[in-house]
C-alpha cells in the first residue's frame, strides 16, 4: 500500500468517525468501564447503584435549577416560588433567606458527592475494592451536609421514604458486594448467601 493509499484510507476512517458519534462513545465507554464485563452479580450491583445514582442526580439538578431560577419561574408561571421556599424554611426553623442559601450550598455539595459516588460505581464495575471508600465517603458527605446545613428535621420530613430506602439500599448493598469481592480476591468460593459452593 502506497503512502497516498494510506492517507486516503486514514482520511476515510476519520470522516466516518466524524459522521457518527458511536465509535467515540464506544471508546469513551471502554476507557471508563474497560473492555471486559464483570460477573453477573457485579453487573446487578452496578446497575442497581446506577439507577439510584441517576434518580438522585436528576432530583439534585432539578432542585438546583428551581432554586436558582425563582425569578424566571415567577415571571413565566406567576408562581411566587421565593415565598414558598421561605415559608418552608420558617416551618423548619430557618430565618429569612437562610433556608434558600443553605439549600443551594447543600445542592452544590450533593452534586460533588454524587460525582464521587459515580467514581465508586465505575470502580465497582471494574471490581476494584477501592470502590467502597468512594461510596462510603461520598454517601457520608451527602448525608452529613444535609444534616448540618438543613437540619435533621429536613431529612426526616422533606425527604421521601423512597429516598431514604434507596440511599441506604445503595450503601448497604455496596457494602455487601465489597464483602463478597474481598472473599473472591482471597480465593474463597462463596455464593450470594456466603456459603461455600464446594465442600471438601
Amino acid at each position: 500500500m502506497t503512502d497516498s493509499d494510506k492517507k486516503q484510507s486514514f482520511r476515510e476512517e476519520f470522516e466516518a468517525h466524524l459522521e457518527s458519534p458511536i465509535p467515540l462513545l464506544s471508546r469513551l465507554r471502554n476507557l471508563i468501564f474497560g473492555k471486559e464485563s464483570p460477573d453477573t452479580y457485579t453487573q446487578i450491583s452496578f446497575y442497581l447503584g446506577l439507577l439510584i445514582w441517576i434518580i438522585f442526580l436528576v432530583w439534585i439538578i432539578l432542585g438546583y435549577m428551581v432554586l436558582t431560577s425563582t425569578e424566571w419561574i415567577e415571571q413565566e408561571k406567576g408562581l411566587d416560588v421565593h415565598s414558598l421556599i421561605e415559608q418552608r424554611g420558617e416551618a423548619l426553623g430557618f430565618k429569612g433567606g437562610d433556608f434558600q442559601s443553605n439549600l443551594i450550598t447543600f445542592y452544590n455539595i450533593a452534586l460533588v458527592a454524587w460525582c464521587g459516588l459515580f467514581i465508586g460505581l465505575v470502580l465497582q464495575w471494574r471490581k476494584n475494592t477501592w470502590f467502597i471508600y468512594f461510596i462510603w465517603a461520598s454517601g457520608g458527605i451527602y448525608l452529613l451536609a444535609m444534616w448540618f446545613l438543613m437540619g435533621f428535621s429536613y431529612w426526616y420530613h422533606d425527604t421521601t421514604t423512597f429516598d431514604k430506602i434507596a440511599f441506604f439500599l445503595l450503601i448497604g448493598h455496596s457494602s455487601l458486594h465489597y464483602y463478597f469481592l474481598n472473599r473472591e480476591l482471597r480465593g474463597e468460593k462463596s455464593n450470594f448467601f456466603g456459603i461455600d459452593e464446594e465442600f471438601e
Side-chain angles (χ1 to χ4, degrees), residues 82-129:
H82 189 71
S83 295
L84 292 172
I85 293 169
E86 278 193 357
Q87 286 173 12
R88 186 61 198 145
E90 287 171 6
L92 291 170
F94 288 87
K95 295 179 181 177
D98 289 350
F99 180 69
Q100 185 169 348
S101 64
N102 280 17
L103 202 51
I104 290 171
T105 303
F106 165 66
Y107 280 137
N108 284 321
I109 293 170
L111 191 60
V112 172
W114 285 87
C115 286
L117 207 139
F118 181 74
I119 293 170
L121 290 173
V122 169
L123 292 174
Q124 183 181 33
W125 177 271
R126 288 177 167 252
K127 299 182 80 169
N128 184 323
T129 54

Side-chain angles (χ1 to χ4, degrees), residues 8-27:
Q8 181 65 25
S9 175
F10 174 77
R11 188 177 295 118
E12 288 172 1
E13 287 179 17
F14 182 70
E15 286 174 0
H17 279 291
L18 292 178
E19 288 175 9
S20 172
I22 293 172
L24 180 65
L25 293 174
S26 178
R27 286 182 183 176

Side-chain angles (χ1 to χ4, degrees), residues 189-200:
K189 292 187 177 181
S190 63
N191 64 19
F192 180 77
F193 299 102
I195 302 168
D196 290 343
E197 291 178 338
E198 295 180 4
F199 296 94
E200 295 183 347

